[in-house]
Amino acid sequence: MGEQMGLNFMNDDLQKRIRQAMANPQNMGELANADAVGTVGNSDCGEMLRMWVKFKNENGKKVIDRATFQSFGCETAIAVASLATELIRGKTPEEALSLKSEDLAGELGPLPPMKIHCAQLVEGALRSALDPAAAEPKPTAAPAPTQPALSPTLQDSFSKPKEGVKIVFLDP
Ligand code: FES
């Protein structure tokens, strides 16, 4: 599968860091009573990522109390999401939105070109949760109507989105 192939192209060091993050991924799974949810997909590799965010009030400021994610197969996206959900705890939504995919990937270090979109998927899910209006896809980013964006298998495996949850497909 694509991810397996992708890992083979990485240097050993990065593979090791991804495996380490994968060995004990943080904040995986649905977050009950989340205040915000963002779901994004990449129509090229078929990966989808959903992020849940819960806020709390700290000294009169709204900050991120917890964030969790669900991903469907890509190890790099899982590793980045695990780091990112830890990184944004205690940040205001604005602070979290100012983080770029390279910041979210943090200690994984620079990702090879073919894996950069995995971190961008995490950034996209976060944006979609925290700022849904800005995360709306541009009309040109919509997949061609004749081409299904996702394989039925992946779509089937993805837990049924709740009413009102929208999946945003990121620019390829
Ligand atoms: Fe596409 Fe990782 S291979 S998100």
Side-chain angles (χ1 to χ4, degrees):
M1 135 175 212
E3 172 65 20
Q4 205 50 49
M5 221 173 79
L7 281 178
N8 292 341
F9 280 97
M10 291 185 198
N11 63 46
D12 289 350
D13 208 35
L14 179 60
Q15 273 196 44
K16 215 165 93 189
R17 290 194 302 265
I18 288 180
R19 300 269 180 226
Q20 267 164 5
M22 288 290 299
N24 185 23
Q26 304 296 304
N27 309 311
M28 252 189 7
E30 185 171 347
L31 181 59
N33 308 318
D35 297 309
V37 185
T39 306
V40 291
N42 183 301
S43 50
D44 281 347
C45 67
E47 172 66 339
M48 291 175 85
L49 195 120
R50 180 171 294 170
M51 201 173 271
W52 289 266
V53 181
K54 190 156 181 56
F55 301 109
K56 68 175 175 187
N57 201 303
E58 205 173 67
N59 305 323
K61 261 196 325 190
K62 177 174 147 183
V63 299
I64 295 166
D65 183 23
R66 252 205 100 183
T68 67
F69 72 96
Q70 205 172 11
S71 162
F72 294 85
C74 171
E75 294 189 343
T76 308
I78 293 173
V80 175
S82 169
L83 293 169
T85 47
E86 283 295 293
L87 187 71
I88 62 174
R89 281 177 101 150
K91 294 200 188 308
T92 64
E94 294 73 27
E95 286 166 347
L97 282 169
S98 73
L99 296 168
K100 299 272 162 268
S101 52
E102 2 2 319
D103 305 320
L104 298 172
E107 62 205 53
L108 284 180
L111 296 170
M114 66 183 306
K115 292 276 128 188
I116 288 174
H117 80 274
C118 311
Q120 283 167 343
L121 204 71
V122 177
E123 184 190 343
L126 188 62
R127 277 181 196 287
S128 169
L130 298 179
D131 192 3
E136 283 290 304
K138 295 174 213 94
T140 49
T146 48
Q147 214 182 358
L150 294 161
S151 72
T153 326
L154 179 65
Q155 223 157 15
D156 290 345
S157 73
F158 195 73
S159 60
K160 215 170 170 236
K162 288 197 192 86
E163 192 102 1
V165 170
K166 208 170 356 174
I167 298 170
V168 176
F169 283 93
L170 302 178
D171 285 338

